[in-house]
Amino acid sequence: TLDNCKMDTRLVFNVSPEVGYVINSHWAVAMKVGYSYLKHADITVMNQTLTGSGNEVSIKPFARYIFKPLGRFRFYADAGPSYVLLQRYSESNLHTIGIRANVGILFDISPRVSLTGYLGDLGYDHSWVKVNNRTVRDNAFRCDIIGNFGLGVVVNLKKK
């Protein structure tokens, strides 16, 4: 396992667009595809530090349940699988598969446009990386309430 594994990163650039389909007033399905450029992403594994910058690509399909509206506000919960590949310039690639859940809020500006925000990340990850020609694996549960948040705009192409 990746016991005592820690990752120190400075995120320089990230873009993660989502595209989806609204099934009804409570359910939607979507796919989030992300790209990140990480500068000085240091990962410490088995008392060895893997250094260098890299690119991260993520694919995260999910289902969203939207709760009953409170005026122009709608709360939601997302859940789904994820795959993340951190491609490093100087060392091995770090792969992670997992399952994620988070909660958020939508604020309807108009019938077709909403502002969205989410907070938290609850999930399970299975990661692997090659260190000195040996594959090292880690299983971890994640509960990040404060450190993971996002803001965005939702555009509905069909009328509600």
Side-chain angles (χ1 to χ4, degrees):
T1 65
L2 297 176
D3 292 330
N4 300 318
C5 174
K6 71 176 189 174
M7 186 173 199
D8 179 27
T9 63
R10 291 185 214 159
L11 184 62
V12 175
F13 176 77
N14 174 276
V15 62
S16 299
E18 298 175 5
V19 63
Y21 178 75
V22 177
I23 298 169
N24 59 36
S25 63
H26 290 288
W27 285 101
V29 291
M31 172 77 73
K32 182 183 219 178
V33 178
Y35 168 79
S36 301
Y37 170 75
L38 302 165
K39 187 172 183 180
H40 303 301
D42 296 339
I43 304 173
T44 303
V45 180
M46 298 171 60
N47 297 324
Q48 290 186 324
T49 300
L50 308 176
T51 62
S53 299
N55 296 300
E56 182 179 272
V57 177
S58 61
I59 300 170
K60 300 176 180 179
F62 62 90
R64 174 174 287 170
Y65 181 80
I66 304 165
F67 297 93
K68 186 176 179 179
L70 297 171
R72 295 169 65 179
F73 291 95
R74 295 177 291 149
F75 293 92
Y76 67 84
D78 289 345
S82 65
Y83 173 76
V84 178
L85 169 64
L86 175 57
Q87 183 180 30
R88 308 181 53 76
Y89 296 148
S90 61
E91 307 289 342
S92 298
N93 295 334
L94 175 67
H95 301 266
T96 303
I97 57 173
I99 189 158
R100 292 268 178 275
N102 62 31
V103 295
I105 188 168
L106 293 160
F107 176 72
D108 296 330
I109 295 173
S110 73
R112 291 188 184 208
V113 178
S114 302
L115 296 178
T116 184
Y118 68 87
L119 179 66
D121 185 21
L122 178 66
Y124 166 80
D125 288 331
H126 173 74
S127 302
W128 65 97
V129 64
K130 260 195 169 175
V131 179
N132 295 331
N133 294 324
R134 186 175 137 220
T135 301
V136 181
R137 299 178 185 277
D138 181 43
N139 294 298
F141 288 95
R142 175 184 302 271
C143 183
D144 188 359
I145 304 290
I146 303 299
N148 186 16
F149 64 92
L151 300 171
V153 176
V154 175
V155 178
N156 296 306
L157 299 179
K158 72 176 192 178
K159 273 191 176 177
K160 292 182 185 178

